[in-house]
Amino acid sequence: MTSPSAAMPHHIAIVMDGNGRWAKRRLMPRIAGHRQGVESLRRCIRACAERGVGVLTVFAFSSENWNRPEEEVSGLMELMGKALTREVPELRKGGIRLHFVGDRGGLSERMQRGLAKAEADTADNGRMVLNVCFNYGGRWDIAQAASRLAARGEPVTEAALDRAMALAHVADPDLLIRTGGEQRISNFLLWQCAYSELYFSDRLWPDFDEAALDEALAAYAARERRFGQTSEQVARVAAG
């Protein structure tokens, strides 16, 4: 049974996994897979906007990714810098508003300036919000929210924490997609995905195309979202 509200998710979150394995299978360096992953992200952004998705949140670089080989980390930072230069004008033209979510204190001053400028350049856009989680971790997010409340002397309640989270500017994800065949969320949006529908794809991220997105959307639309209620209660609400 499908709830009417499940027809199209307002907010999709994606763990873009499999770039390195995609490159390895082709006997290419891992950074080549990440470059191809940027192409896949560009395609996904366009497809989500065309389908009426309101918010897209992607896991670009986790707080744990600093532990990867130095060559790969430096390549990812360079790739982000180039993406800011090349992609932001297109996002601005396409009506996409950018938010970068994560601990900017661990980034270079040049990178911090680039992220801030990209946000400012797209601030007036309203077609879709694109949250790029960069140097982000779900546990960090909860800890920073609690620290923010403590600094203000506010009681730590669910509602107060929710308002202090890094994605407080958007509703929680309706659908969380992870590519690459792994079935875990890897410290991504731990607070926000409490009631998200989970969808795992065996496709590596560079191979995740519009057809794969539509498969995920179809699976989502077939589910009943109860939020702790019974099917009968959901049906009564849907019937008005």
Side-chain angles (χ1 to χ4, degrees):
M1 179 179 177
T2 303
S3 167
S5 63
M8 178 64 66
H10 170 72
H11 183 176
I12 297 176
I14 304 180
V15 179
M16 306 180 294
D17 193 22
N19 293 327
R21 281 174 286 157
W22 183 91
K24 186 177 180 180
R25 290 177 185 179
R26 289 160 178 77
L27 304 180
M28 301 166 69
R30 289 177 61 86
I31 195 63
H34 293 298
R35 291 194 190 99
Q36 192 62 36
V38 173
E39 298 298 322
S40 186
L41 176 57
R42 181 188 296 117
R43 192 167 58 222
C44 185
I45 293 168
R46 182 174 62 249
C48 284
E50 289 172 351
R51 286 154 179 74
V53 174
V55 183
L56 175 63
T57 300
V58 297
F59 207 2
F61 189 85
S62 77
S63 50
E64 289 78 25
N65 285 157
W66 293 106
N67 297 320
R68 292 191 174 186
E70 184 178 346
E71 180 181 352
E72 182 175 354
V73 172
S74 61
L76 285 168
M77 292 299 154
E78 182 181 353
L79 189 59
M80 172 58 86
K82 290 180 178 178
L84 288 173
T85 301
R86 188 175 68 171
E87 305 298 335
V88 171
E90 292 301 315
L91 293 173
R92 183 178 183 180
K93 191 185 306 181
I96 311 300
R97 182 173 185 176
L98 262 172
H99 283 274
F100 289 94
V101 182
D103 183 5
R104 298 192 191 185
L107 305 176
S108 68
E109 289 187 12
R110 181 179 179 183
M111 181 66 74
Q112 292 183 45
R113 290 195 299 270
L115 301 185
K117 185 177 187 304
E119 290 179 329
D121 287 348
T122 61
D124 294 332
N125 288 348
R127 184 182 182 189
M128 188 177 79
V129 173
L130 172 62
N131 297 308
V132 178
C133 292
F134 196 74
N135 198 24
Y136 174 88
R139 291 178 176 176
W140 164 84
D141 197 359
I142 295 169
Q144 67 83 28
S147 295
R148 188 179 299 179
L149 294 180
R152 295 197 295 245
E154 293 185 35
V156 179
T157 64
E158 284 192 25
L161 270 175
D162 197 56
R163 291 191 298 270
M165 300 298 289
L167 267 79
H169 58 283
V170 293
D172 289 344
D174 302 295
L175 173 64
L176 170 64
I177 299 170
R178 181 176 183 139
T179 64
E182 305 290 353
Q183 297 190 10
R184 57 180 179 270
I185 59 175
S186 297
N187 198 24
F188 184 47
L189 306 182
L190 299 180
W191 177 273
Q192 295 87 348
C193 285
Y195 275 99
S196 301
E197 296 295 321
L198 307 182
Y199 180 86
F200 300 103
S201 171
D202 288 333
R203 295 202 193 195
L204 302 178
W205 175 245
D207 295 327
F208 193 83
D209 56 14
E210 292 87 348
L213 175 65
D214 286 337
E215 288 175 10
L217 293 176
Y220 172 86
R223 299 183 188 182
E224 180 186 69
R225 305 191 73 199
R226 295 192 297 273
F227 298 99
Q229 295 182 322
T230 66
S231 295
E232 291 75 19
Q233 287 175 304
V234 172
R236 283 199 295 270
V237 171

